[in-house]
């Protein structure tokens, strides 16, 4: 069972790597990866009280995959961000890889996400606001980008609690 202790922490070099695409031959591994991501996210929720999504590289799975648990679970494979709005908004972002730190960032207000689901079927999802921000955050992990690297300025950091 995966827990908060399995989540890679800020400074781990794997968090800065660009992930490889999920291959169709990897589909047999996707249920196990999904279960591991779900378990780690549930532990973060239990300990820290937050968590709507987690990217595979946060558990050292260096594949272009993330897991969201919103109104239902979403398994996102090989995502592509399309139609990013010009309108941006600022927010204090948090991350499971540094759960006590908040980082002020700018994100696109809306976007369209194209991806493959767990059945290798193409999906398209247009979102805005909080879900748009969440998708951008998780997508960044797949490219080795952390929200600390997107801070608005050097004063855009604060401790939680």
């Amino acid at each position: 069972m995966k827990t908060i202790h399995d989540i890679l922490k800020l400074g781990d070099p794997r968090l800065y790597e660009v992930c490889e695409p999920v291959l169709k031959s990897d589909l047999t591994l996707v249920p196990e990866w999904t279960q591991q991501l779900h378990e780690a996210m549930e532990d973060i929720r239990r300990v820290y009280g937050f968590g709507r999504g987690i990217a595979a590289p946060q558990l050292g799975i260096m594949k272009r995959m993330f897991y969201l648990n919103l109104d239902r679970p979403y398994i996102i494979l090989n995502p592509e961000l399309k139609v990013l709005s010009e309108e941006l908004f600022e927010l204090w972002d948090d991350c499971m890889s540094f759960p006590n730190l908040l980082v002020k960032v700018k994100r696109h207000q809306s976007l369209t996400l194209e991806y493959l689901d767990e059945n290798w079927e193409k999906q398209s999802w247009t979102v805005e606001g909080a879900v748009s921000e969440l998708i951008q955050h998780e997508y960044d992990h797949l490219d080795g980008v952390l929200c600390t690297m997107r801070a608005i300025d050097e004063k855009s950091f604060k401790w939680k609690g």
Side-chain angles (χ1 to χ4, degrees), residues 104-131:
K104 189 183 277 190
V105 299
K106 287 185 181 180
R107 298 286 190 189
H108 296 276
Q109 176 62 33
S110 64
L111 60 84
T112 297
L113 176 69
E114 293 181 0
Y115 65 98
L116 296 169
D117 66 16
E118 66 273 22
N119 300 310
W120 208 249
E121 294 176 6
K122 288 185 180 181
Q123 302 291 331
S124 183
W125 188 20
T126 299
V127 297
E128 60 184 32
V131 177

PDB file of all heavy atoms in Angstrom, residues 104-131:
ATOM      1  N   LYS A 104       2.446  31.106  -4.848  1.00  0.00           N
ATOM      2  CA  LYS A 104       1.547  31.917  -5.675  1.00  0.00           C
ATOM      3  C   LYS A 104       1.973  31.808  -7.133  1.00  0.00           C
ATOM      4  O   LYS A 104       3.125  32.099  -7.476  1.00  0.00           O
ATOM      5  CB  LYS A 104       1.540  33.379  -5.232  1.00  0.00           C
ATOM      6  CG  LYS A 104       0.450  34.195  -5.946  1.00  0.00           C
ATOM      7  CD  LYS A 104       0.471  35.654  -5.564  1.00  0.00           C
ATOM      8  CE  LYS A 104      -0.286  35.852  -4.281  1.00  0.00           C
ATOM      9  NZ  LYS A 104      -0.497  37.298  -4.002  1.00  0.00           N
ATOM     10  N   VAL A 105       1.022  31.371  -7.971  1.00  0.00           N
ATOM     11  CA  VAL A 105       1.275  31.168  -9.397  1.00  0.00           C
ATOM     12  C   VAL A 105       0.143  31.783 -10.212  1.00  0.00           C
ATOM     13  O   VAL A 105      -0.907  32.123  -9.677  1.00  0.00           O
ATOM     14  CB  VAL A 105       1.396  29.660  -9.740  1.00  0.00           C
ATOM     15  CG1 VAL A 105       2.552  29.009  -9.001  1.00  0.00           C
ATOM     16  CG2 VAL A 105       0.097  28.926  -9.462  1.00  0.00           C
ATOM     17  N   LYS A 106       0.364  31.887 -11.518  1.00  0.00           N
ATOM     18  CA  LYS A 106      -0.684  32.269 -12.471  1.00  0.00           C
ATOM     19  C   LYS A 106      -0.996  31.054 -13.327  1.00  0.00           C
ATOM     20  O   LYS A 106      -0.095  30.336 -13.755  1.00  0.00           O
ATOM     21  CB  LYS A 106      -0.218  33.416 -13.370  1.00  0.00           C
ATOM     22  CG  LYS A 106      -0.135  34.746 -12.689  1.00  0.00           C
ATOM     23  CD  LYS A 106       0.215  35.842 -13.675  1.00  0.00           C
ATOM     24  CE  LYS A 106       0.323  37.177 -12.955  1.00  0.00           C
ATOM     25  NZ  LYS A 106       0.668  38.262 -13.882  1.00  0.00           N
ATOM     26  N   ARG A 107      -2.283  30.846 -13.557  1.00  0.00           N
ATOM     27  CA  ARG A 107      -2.743  29.731 -14.387  1.00  0.00           C
ATOM     28  C   ARG A 107      -3.787  30.236 -15.382  1.00  0.00           C
ATOM     29  O   ARG A 107      -4.445  31.247 -15.154  1.00  0.00           O
ATOM     30  CB  ARG A 107      -3.374  28.632 -13.514  1.00  0.00           C
ATOM     31  CG  ARG A 107      -2.437  27.996 -12.512  1.00  0.00           C
ATOM     32  CD  ARG A 107      -1.461  27.065 -13.155  1.00  0.00           C
ATOM     33  NE  ARG A 107      -0.728  26.299 -12.137  1.00  0.00           N
ATOM     34  CZ  ARG A 107       0.305  25.541 -12.416  1.00  0.00           C
ATOM     35  NH1 ARG A 107       0.728  25.414 -13.657  1.00  0.00           N
ATOM     36  NH2 ARG A 107       0.930  24.881 -11.454  1.00  0.00           N
ATOM     37  N   HIS A 108      -3.954  29.479 -16.460  1.00  0.00           N
ATOM     38  CA  HIS A 108      -4.978  29.791 -17.458  1.00  0.00           C
ATOM     39  C   HIS A 108      -6.365  29.531 -16.870  1.00  0.00           C
ATOM     40  O   HIS A 108      -6.580  28.507 -16.220  1.00  0.00           O
ATOM     41  CB  HIS A 108      -4.776  28.956 -18.721  1.00  0.00           C
ATOM     42  CG  HIS A 108      -3.498  29.270 -19.420  1.00  0.00           C
ATOM     43  ND1 HIS A 108      -3.375  30.316 -20.309  1.00  0.00           N
ATOM     44  CD2 HIS A 108      -2.277  28.692 -19.336  1.00  0.00           C
ATOM     45  CE1 HIS A 108      -2.125  30.368 -20.759  1.00  0.00           C
ATOM     46  NE2 HIS A 108      -1.450  29.390 -20.178  1.00  0.00           N
ATOM     47  N   GLN A 109      -7.283  30.439 -17.126  1.00  0.00           N
ATOM     48  CA  GLN A 109      -8.647  30.326 -16.604  1.00  0.00           C
ATOM     49  C   GLN A 109      -9.373  29.096 -17.165  1.00  0.00           C
ATOM     50  O   GLN A 109     -10.141  28.456 -16.465  1.00  0.00           O
ATOM     51  CB  GLN A 109      -9.440  31.600 -16.932  1.00  0.00           C
ATOM     52  CG  GLN A 109     -10.898  31.567 -16.523  1.00  0.00           C
ATOM     53  CD  GLN A 109     -11.119  31.420 -15.026  1.00  0.00           C
ATOM     54  OE1 GLN A 109     -10.338  31.905 -14.219  1.00  0.00           O
ATOM     55  NE2 GLN A 109     -12.180  30.721 -14.650  1.00  0.00           N
ATOM     56  N   SER A 110      -9.109  28.770 -18.429  1.00  0.00           N
ATOM     57  CA  SER A 110      -9.779  27.617 -19.025  1.00  0.00           C
ATOM     58  C   SER A 110      -8.845  26.936 -20.017  1.00  0.00           C
ATOM     59  O   SER A 110      -7.856  27.511 -20.470  1.00  0.00           O
ATOM     60  CB  SER A 110     -11.081  28.037 -19.712  1.00  0.00           C
ATOM     61  OG  SER A 110     -10.805  28.898 -20.796  1.00  0.00           O
ATOM     62  N   LEU A 111      -9.192  25.697 -20.348  1.00  0.00           N
ATOM     63  CA  LEU A 111      -8.413  24.923 -21.311  1.00  0.00           C
ATOM     64  C   LEU A 111      -9.228  23.725 -21.765  1.00  0.00           C
ATOM     65  O   LEU A 111     -10.239  23.380 -21.160  1.00  0.00           O
ATOM     66  CB  LEU A 111      -7.082  24.442 -20.706  1.00  0.00           C
ATOM     67  CG  LEU A 111      -7.131  23.539 -19.475  1.00  0.00           C
ATOM     68  CD1 LEU A 111      -7.328  22.065 -19.860  1.00  0.00           C
ATOM     69  CD2 LEU A 111      -5.858  23.665 -18.674  1.00  0.00           C
ATOM     70  N   THR A 112      -8.745  23.106 -22.828  1.00  0.00           N
ATOM     71  CA  THR A 112      -9.291  21.822 -23.258  1.00  0.00           C
ATOM     72  C   THR A 112      -8.184  20.793 -23.110  1.00  0.00           C
ATOM     73  O   THR A 112      -7.058  21.010 -23.566  1.00  0.00           O
ATOM     74  CB  THR A 112      -9.796  21.882 -24.708  1.00  0.00           C
ATOM     75  OG1 THR A 112     -10.867  22.833 -24.771  1.00  0.00           O
ATOM     76  CG2 THR A 112     -10.299  20.528 -25.181  1.00  0.00           C
ATOM     77  N   LEU A 113      -8.511  19.694 -22.443  1.00  0.00           N
ATOM     78  CA  LEU A 113      -7.582  18.593 -22.216  1.00  0.00           C
ATOM     79  C   LEU A 113      -7.948  17.456 -23.157  1.00  0.00           C
ATOM     80  O   LEU A 113      -9.099  17.011 -23.169  1.00  0.00           O
ATOM     81  CB  LEU A 113      -7.675  18.126 -20.762  1.00  0.00           C
ATOM     82  CG  LEU A 113      -6.833  16.919 -20.375  1.00  0.00           C
ATOM     83  CD1 LEU A 113      -5.353  17.259 -20.379  1.00  0.00           C
ATOM     84  CD2 LEU A 113      -7.256  16.389 -19.009  1.00  0.00           C
ATOM     85  N   GLU A 114      -6.976  17.004 -23.944  1.00  0.00           N
ATOM     86  CA  GLU A 114      -7.159  15.817 -24.770  1.00  0.00           C
ATOM     87  C   GLU A 114      -6.262  14.735 -24.192  1.00  0.00           C
ATOM     88  O   GLU A 114      -5.104  14.994 -23.853  1.00  0.00           O
ATOM     89  CB  GLU A 114      -6.814  16.106 -26.226  1.00  0.00           C
ATOM     90  CG  GLU A 114      -7.795  17.082 -26.854  1.00  0.00           C
ATOM     91  CD  GLU A 114      -7.513  17.385 -28.311  1.00  0.00           C
ATOM     92  OE1 GLU A 114      -6.538  16.846 -28.874  1.00  0.00           O
ATOM     93  OE2 GLU A 114      -8.277  18.185 -28.886  1.00  0.00           O
ATOM     94  N   TYR A 115      -6.804  13.522 -24.051  1.00  0.00           N
ATOM     95  CA  TYR A 115      -6.060  12.446 -23.404  1.00  0.00           C
ATOM     96  C   TYR A 115      -6.638  11.096 -23.789  1.00  0.00           C
ATOM     97  O   TYR A 115      -7.702  11.008 -24.406  1.00  0.00           O
ATOM     98  CB  TYR A 115      -6.084  12.627 -21.884  1.00  0.00           C
ATOM     99  CG  TYR A 115      -7.451  12.494 -21.242  1.00  0.00           C
ATOM    100  CD1 TYR A 115      -7.862  11.288 -20.651  1.00  0.00           C
ATOM    101  CD2 TYR A 115      -8.353  13.557 -21.221  1.00  0.00           C
ATOM    102  CE1 TYR A 115      -9.114  11.164 -20.060  1.00  0.00           C
ATOM    103  CE2 TYR A 115      -9.594  13.437 -20.623  1.00  0.00           C
ATOM    104  CZ  TYR A 115      -9.977  12.241 -20.051  1.00  0.00           C
ATOM    105  OH  TYR A 115     -11.212  12.108 -19.474  1.00  0.00           O
ATOM    106  N   LEU A 116      -5.938  10.061 -23.380  1.00  0.00           N
ATOM    107  CA  LEU A 116      -6.449   8.705 -23.491  1.00  0.00           C
ATOM    108  C   LEU A 116      -6.902   8.258 -22.117  1.00  0.00           C
ATOM    109  O   LEU A 116      -6.234   8.553 -21.117  1.00  0.00           O
ATOM    110  CB  LEU A 116      -5.365   7.761 -24.012  1.00  0.00           C
ATOM    111  CG  LEU A 116      -4.861   8.049 -25.427  1.00  0.00           C
ATOM    112  CD1 LEU A 116      -3.614   7.224 -25.734  1.00  0.00           C
ATOM    113  CD2 LEU A 116      -5.948   7.774 -26.449  1.00  0.00           C
ATOM    114  N   ASP A 117      -8.030   7.556 -22.057  1.00  0.00           N
ATOM    115  CA  ASP A 117      -8.482   7.036 -20.769  1.00  0.00           C
ATOM    116  C   ASP A 117      -7.905   5.643 -20.541  1.00  0.00           C
ATOM    117  O   ASP A 117      -7.102   5.145 -21.343  1.00  0.00           O
ATOM    118  CB  ASP A 117     -10.011   7.074 -20.659  1.00  0.00           C
ATOM    119  CG  ASP A 117     -10.720   6.138 -21.628  1.00  0.00           C
ATOM    120  OD1 ASP A 117     -10.082   5.221 -22.203  1.00  0.00           O
ATOM    121  OD2 ASP A 117     -11.935   6.318 -21.810  1.00  0.00           O
ATOM    122  N   GLU A 118      -8.323   5.001 -19.453  1.00  0.00           N
ATOM    123  CA  GLU A 118      -7.777   3.696 -19.089  1.00  0.00           C
ATOM    124  C   GLU A 118      -8.147   2.592 -20.083  1.00  0.00           C
ATOM    125  O   GLU A 118      -7.575   1.504 -20.047  1.00  0.00           O
ATOM    126  CB  GLU A 118      -8.212   3.312 -17.672  1.00  0.00           C
ATOM    127  CG  GLU A 118      -9.702   3.083 -17.511  1.00  0.00           C
ATOM    128  CD  GLU A 118     -10.515   4.344 -17.214  1.00  0.00           C
ATOM    129  OE1 GLU A 118     -10.070   5.468 -17.517  1.00  0.00           O
ATOM    130  OE2 GLU A 118     -11.617   4.188 -16.663  1.00  0.00           O
ATOM    131  N   ASN A 119      -9.095   2.879 -20.987  1.00  0.00           N
ATOM    132  CA  ASN A 119      -9.468   1.919 -22.040  1.00  0.00           C
ATOM    133  C   ASN A 119      -8.815   2.257 -23.375  1.00  0.00           C
ATOM    134  O   ASN A 119      -9.180   1.689 -24.397  1.00  0.00           O
ATOM    135  CB  ASN A 119     -10.996   1.878 -22.190  1.00  0.00           C
ATOM    136  CG  ASN A 119     -11.664   1.444 -20.911  1.00  0.00           C
ATOM    137  OD1 ASN A 119     -11.290   0.441 -20.310  1.00  0.00           O
ATOM    138  ND2 ASN A 119     -12.639   2.223 -20.454  1.00  0.00           N
ATOM    139  N   TRP A 120      -7.871   3.207 -23.347  1.00  0.00           N
ATOM    140  CA  TRP A 120      -7.135   3.659 -24.525  1.00  0.00           C
ATOM    141  C   TRP A 120      -8.069   4.345 -25.528  1.00  0.00           C
ATOM    142  O   TRP A 120      -7.866   4.335 -26.728  1.00  0.00           O
ATOM    143  CB  TRP A 120      -6.364   2.498 -25.181  1.00  0.00           C
ATOM    144  CG  TRP A 120      -5.134   2.921 -25.918  1.00  0.00           C
ATOM    145  CD1 TRP A 120      -4.958   2.893 -27.279  1.00  0.00           C
ATOM    146  CD2 TRP A 120      -3.907   3.427 -25.381  1.00  0.00           C
ATOM    147  NE1 TRP A 120      -3.712   3.357 -27.609  1.00  0.00           N
ATOM    148  CE2 TRP A 120      -3.033   3.679 -26.459  1.00  0.00           C
ATOM    149  CE3 TRP A 120      -3.462   3.692 -24.088  1.00  0.00           C
ATOM    150  CZ2 TRP A 120      -1.740   4.178 -26.288  1.00  0.00           C
ATOM    151  CZ3 TRP A 120      -2.177   4.187 -23.908  1.00  0.00           C
ATOM    152  CH2 TRP A 120      -1.338   4.423 -24.998  1.00  0.00           C
ATOM    153  N   GLU A 121      -9.113   4.988 -24.988  1.00  0.00           N
ATOM    154  CA  GLU A 121     -10.046   5.734 -25.827  1.00  0.00           C
ATOM    155  C   GLU A 121      -9.753   7.220 -25.696  1.00  0.00           C
ATOM    156  O   GLU A 121      -9.531   7.726 -24.592  1.00  0.00           O
ATOM    157  CB  GLU A 121     -11.492   5.436 -25.406  1.00  0.00           C
ATOM    158  CG  GLU A 121     -11.892   4.004 -25.671  1.00  0.00           C
ATOM    159  CD  GLU A 121     -13.291   3.673 -25.178  1.00  0.00           C
ATOM    160  OE1 GLU A 121     -14.028   4.581 -24.721  1.00  0.00           O
ATOM    161  OE2 GLU A 121     -13.654   2.479 -25.240  1.00  0.00           O
ATOM    162  N   LYS A 122      -9.782   7.923 -26.837  1.00  0.00           N
ATOM    163  CA  LYS A 122      -9.519   9.365 -26.849  1.00  0.00           C
ATOM    164  C   LYS A 122     -10.662  10.109 -26.171  1.00  0.00           C
ATOM    165  O   LYS A 122     -11.829   9.803 -26.387  1.00  0.00           O
ATOM    166  CB  LYS A 122      -9.357   9.864 -28.284  1.00  0.00           C
ATOM    167  CG  LYS A 122      -8.075   9.424 -28.931  1.00  0.00           C
ATOM    168  CD  LYS A 122      -7.908  10.038 -30.302  1.00  0.00           C
ATOM    169  CE  LYS A 122      -6.600   9.568 -30.918  1.00  0.00           C
ATOM    170  NZ  LYS A 122      -6.371  10.156 -32.238  1.00  0.00           N
ATOM    171  N   GLN A 123     -10.269  11.069 -25.355  1.00  0.00           N
ATOM    172  CA  GLN A 123     -11.238  11.899 -24.638  1.00  0.00           C
ATOM    173  C   GLN A 123     -10.860  13.369 -24.816  1.00  0.00           C
ATOM    174  O   GLN A 123      -9.682  13.702 -24.988  1.00  0.00           O
ATOM    175  CB  GLN A 123     -11.236  11.569 -23.145  1.00  0.00           C
ATOM    176  CG  GLN A 123     -11.533  10.122 -22.815  1.00  0.00           C
ATOM    177  CD  GLN A 123     -12.956   9.730 -23.119  1.00  0.00           C
ATOM    178  OE1 GLN A 123     -13.867  10.552 -23.069  1.00  0.00           O
ATOM    179  NE2 GLN A 123     -13.155   8.450 -23.445  1.00  0.00           N
ATOM    180  N   SER A 124     -11.848  14.235 -24.733  1.00  0.00           N
ATOM    181  CA  SER A 124     -11.640  15.680 -24.759  1.00  0.00           C
ATOM    182  C   SER A 124     -12.507  16.275 -23.659  1.00  0.00           C
ATOM    183  O   SER A 124     -13.682  15.924 -23.526  1.00  0.00           O
ATOM    184  CB  SER A 124     -12.026  16.247 -26.126  1.00  0.00           C
ATOM    185  OG  SER A 124     -11.766  17.630 -26.161  1.00  0.00           O
ATOM    186  N   TRP A 125     -11.909  17.167 -22.865  1.00  0.00           N
ATOM    187  CA  TRP A 125     -12.589  17.709 -21.692  1.00  0.00           C
ATOM    188  C   TRP A 125     -12.249  19.192 -21.594  1.00  0.00           C
ATOM    189  O   TRP A 125     -11.084  19.562 -21.468  1.00  0.00           O
ATOM    190  CB  TRP A 125     -12.097  16.953 -20.468  1.00  0.00           C
ATOM    191  CG  TRP A 125     -12.775  17.203 -19.168  1.00  0.00           C
ATOM    192  CD1 TRP A 125     -14.013  17.739 -18.956  1.00  0.00           C
ATOM    193  CD2 TRP A 125     -12.247  16.890 -17.879  1.00  0.00           C
ATOM    194  NE1 TRP A 125     -14.281  17.786 -17.611  1.00  0.00           N
ATOM    195  CE2 TRP A 125     -13.219  17.258 -16.928  1.00  0.00           C
ATOM    196  CE3 TRP A 125     -11.056  16.326 -17.424  1.00  0.00           C
ATOM    197  CZ2 TRP A 125     -13.032  17.102 -15.563  1.00  0.00           C
ATOM    198  CZ3 TRP A 125     -10.867  16.167 -16.071  1.00  0.00           C
ATOM    199  CH2 TRP A 125     -11.843  16.547 -15.152  1.00  0.00           C
ATOM    200  N   THR A 126     -13.264  20.049 -21.666  1.00  0.00           N
ATOM    201  CA  THR A 126     -13.067  21.491 -21.527  1.00  0.00           C
ATOM    202  C   THR A 126     -13.431  21.881 -20.102  1.00  0.00           C
ATOM    203  O   THR A 126     -14.512  21.531 -19.609  1.00  0.00           O
ATOM    204  CB  THR A 126     -13.911  22.257 -22.554  1.00  0.00           C
ATOM    205  OG1 THR A 126     -13.495  21.853 -23.869  1.00  0.00           O
ATOM    206  CG2 THR A 126     -13.712  23.757 -22.410  1.00  0.00           C
ATOM    207  N   VAL A 127     -12.501  22.562 -19.427  1.00  0.00           N
ATOM    208  CA  VAL A 127     -12.664  22.899 -18.011  1.00  0.00           C
ATOM    209  C   VAL A 127     -12.275  24.354 -17.771  1.00  0.00           C
ATOM    210  O   VAL A 127     -11.621  24.981 -18.605  1.00  0.00           O
ATOM    211  CB  VAL A 127     -11.801  21.983 -17.112  1.00  0.00           C
ATOM    212  CG1 VAL A 127     -12.235  20.530 -17.243  1.00  0.00           C
ATOM    213  CG2 VAL A 127     -10.328  22.122 -17.449  1.00  0.00           C
ATOM    214  N   GLU A 128     -12.659  24.859 -16.611  1.00  0.00           N
ATOM    215  CA  GLU A 128     -12.263  26.219 -16.225  1.00  0.00           C
ATOM    216  C   GLU A 128     -12.050  26.290 -14.721  1.00  0.00           C
ATOM    217  O   GLU A 128     -12.380  25.361 -13.985  1.00  0.00           O
ATOM    218  CB  GLU A 128     -13.302  27.235 -16.685  1.00  0.00           C
ATOM    219  CG  GLU A 128     -14.670  27.027 -16.127  1.00  0.00           C
ATOM    220  CD  GLU A 128     -15.692  28.021 -16.699  1.00  0.00           C
ATOM    221  OE1 GLU A 128     -15.571  28.450 -17.855  1.00  0.00           O
ATOM    222  OE2 GLU A 128     -16.624  28.354 -15.939  1.00  0.00           O
ATOM    223  N   GLY A 129     -11.469  27.401 -14.292  1.00  0.00           N
ATOM    224  CA  GLY A 129     -11.299  27.674 -12.871  1.00  0.00           C
ATOM    225  C   GLY A 129     -10.440  26.657 -12.151  1.00  0.00           C
ATOM    226  O   GLY A 129      -9.345  26.305 -12.609  1.00  0.00           O
ATOM    227  N   ALA A 130     -10.950  26.141 -11.025  1.00  0.00           N
ATOM    228  CA  ALA A 130     -10.173  25.260 -10.156  1.00  0.00           C
ATOM    229  C   ALA A 130      -9.732  23.979 -10.861  1.00  0.00           C
ATOM    230  O   ALA A 130      -8.617  23.508 -10.637  1.00  0.00           O
ATOM    231  CB  ALA A 130     -10.975  24.925  -8.903  1.00  0.00           C
ATOM    232  N   VAL A 131     -10.580  23.413 -11.710  1.00  0.00           N
ATOM    233  CA  VAL A 131     -10.196  22.178 -12.405  1.00  0.00           C
ATOM    234  C   VAL A 131      -9.148  22.483 -13.476  1.00  0.00           C
ATOM    235  O   VAL A 131      -8.206  21.706 -13.668  1.00  0.00           O
ATOM    236  CB  VAL A 131     -11.429  21.449 -12.987  1.00  0.00           C
ATOM    237  CG1 VAL A 131     -11.019  20.211 -13.763  1.00  0.00           C
ATOM    238  CG2 VAL A 131     -12.399  21.067 -11.870  1.00  0.00           C
TER     239      VAL A 131
END
